[in-house]
Structures are given as C-alpha cells and as structure tokens.
Amino acid sequence: QVQLVESGGGSVQAGGSVRLSCVVSGYPYSTVTLGWFRQGPGKEREGVAAIYSGGSPTYYADSVKGRFTISQDRAKNTVYLQMNSLKPEDTALYYCAAGAIPPGVAAAWALAPKPYDYWGQGTQVTVSS
C-alpha cells in the first residue's frame, strides 16, 4: 500500500520560512517523480515543485522560483519543500504526490496534477501579513 504522509505545516508571518516533509512508503516502482502541490481557498490545485527520484531534474512554478527549494533524502524516502520569504498568497493546503513520470518531461506536465497517481492528505500552511 502506497502512503504519503506530509508534516511541517503551520502558521508563520510573511517573510518567514517553513519546511515541509513527506515520507513515501510502499511505492511499487524504483523510479518516481515526487511533487508538491497546493490548493488555496477557492482556488484550483496547482503544482509548486517536483523532483525526479535521481535528484534531478527539478521543476518549479514561476510563483515560487527563488523562494522554494525541493529536495529529497532517498535513504529516508522523504521529500522536502523548503519555503522561504513566504507571502500571504502562499497560504494553502500543501500536498505531496508521487507518479511514474520520467525525467526530462516538460515542466508543465511535471507540475500538473493529472500524471500523479498517489497523494498525501495535505498539511496546512498559513502566512499572515
């Protein structure tokens, strides 16, 4: 059984930082792309960042480039999202997801929800001004 469990969310003031973690277990394939998505109030789910299981390539939404960093620890089966310089518009429920997406795909595909097969339950991040 595939499980993705996020942690690390919380409330922070604008300009602050938060690190999210996602532990992945039971994934049936040796290679995987792991992604972070978010869904704000009244908004559609959007891709934030993604990373192939080999560590590269990585993909970022334009809205978070230079502020967010995705990384992984394969020994711990964990993917992280370091979020710096947070803004109120970053407030959302953040999900991690896993999919059999090969490396080198277009960023728009790697950051779309459709190709991901497995999802976590989400962790809330609230940024106050």
Side-chain angles (χ1 to χ4, degrees), residues 9-10 20 37-41 43 46 48 83 87-95 122-127:
L20 305 182
F37 292 79
R38 67 185 181 186
Q39 189 163 14
K43 298 181 181 180
E46 63 172 348
V48 174
M83 305 188 294
K87 305 175 181 179
E89 51 263 43
D90 294 318
T91 294
L93 188 60
Y94 283 74
Y95 300 89
T123 185
Q124 178 69 37
V125 175
T126 302
V127 185

Side-chain angles (χ1 to χ4, degrees), residues 24-65:
V24 183
S25 61
Y27 195 79
Y29 306 111
S30 60
T31 57
V32 61
T33 293
L34 299 170
W36 284 100
F37 292 79
R38 67 185 181 186
Q39 189 163 14
K43 298 181 181 180
E44 293 186 354
R45 190 171 298 190
E46 63 172 348
V48 174
I51 185 168
Y52 182 63
S53 57
S56 66
T58 57
Y59 310 86
Y60 293 95
D62 288 343
S63 59
V64 306
K65 281 181 181 176

